[in-house]
Amino acid sequence: MAKTWIISEYCYPVVVTTGYYVTEIAEYMAAKGLDVGVITSNNTYYASDESSLLKFEEHKGVKLYRKIHKQISKDDNKKRIVRLLSLSFSFFWMSLRRLKKGDQVIVLTNPAFFMLFMPVVRFFTGCKYHILVHDIFPENLSSLGKVNQNGGLYKLLKRVFDKAYSKADSLISIGNDMSIVLSAKVKGKTPIHLITNWADVDEVKPQIKEETETYKKVKDFAEGHVLFQFAGNLGKAQGLDNVLAAISKVETDEARFLFVGAGAKLEDINEFAKTHENTYSFGFVNRSMQNDFLNACDIGIVTLADGMYGLGVPSKSYNIMATGRPILYVGEEDSEVALFVKKYGIGWVVKPNDPIALKNQIEEIIKERDTLQQKGIKAREVAEKVYGKDVVLEQYYQFIKKQND
């Protein structure tokens, strides 16, 4: 019987970012009766993440094969590049030993270099592989200012990775905008399947904000105000400078802004909060508490920096919907989140890198605060019917089943 494999830098027991999605996909397919294996590492995303030093273990029917090595900071770019190269070579040899003819393989875009090895793995093993695209290289590096788009290095990486993506048997995109970018990248040569991220509607449910532990800790700051919240990775791809610039211009005293999370911009937000009484930096909260902190507001803020069109989809959008909160989205108007926010009428969309427009929208939301409840009810309904976890995970199962037929 052909086996189903997932190859990813992160997996169980890491339950944030990519690790969460890989773990849930693997467990669901195993529960549906597929023989599922995961080639992964002991890497963690945050220092607080749980890690495992077991080279092999079976978890909920999923066989996990790990490359074990020393942890390094993901913010140390030089060391991380070396580690990802080393990890890619390790995954290459592990794949040659494990994969067999007819196996279906879902390859994540981390570690990115491993995508370059997969055509060779397919040649020697006879497997078929499908890239689950969470990142598009090197375009995402350029958008973050890490590589000069006009430089020789970028042009070289572009040629190499364009070919790497196009060599796959198919690509799995997590957004309509990403599908458009990928289609241009592979020149229409590779089939692209759209499977969005999901809302964990069984774990994340609407709750009165005043009853959450998070809100209780900021009650003196937030009580009597409309509370906007940005929760998640406080990174450079989120366009947070634009958000802070807008907050500094907001004239109404009725709005308050709560930041929950960690990342490269945390110190900037901490400093900003010291001089702006309408802003509170809460710090990092474990993902296990997301039902609490996502419910601790009136409106969830979701952002994507200018130039990030089609290069990523903020996954927290789906669980914000699950809490029954409307979304204030700052990003391109034809990006994935903007499309469903407008389609279902569950929030507002503001173009990126325009703090005046964002400031004006925030003040307009305050004026129409009586619409928040209805938008929130609609958001929960969409989360359940369109983006529920089991709804989306079934799409992965059906995808693999179709490949095996």
Side-chain angles (χ1 to χ4, degrees), residues 1-3 98-104 124-128:
M1 177 182 175
K3 192 165 185 173
R98 303 284 177 193
L99 274 53
K100 307 295 181 188
K101 184 176 181 179
D103 286 354
Q104 299 293 335
F124 282 108
T125 66
C127 71
K128 289 187 176 182

Side-chain angles (χ1 to χ4, degrees), residues 177-191:
D177 54 344
M178 182 178 282
S179 296
I180 293 170
V181 172
L182 285 172
S183 182
K185 189 174 183 68
V186 301
K187 298 178 173 60
K189 296 177 182 178
T190 309

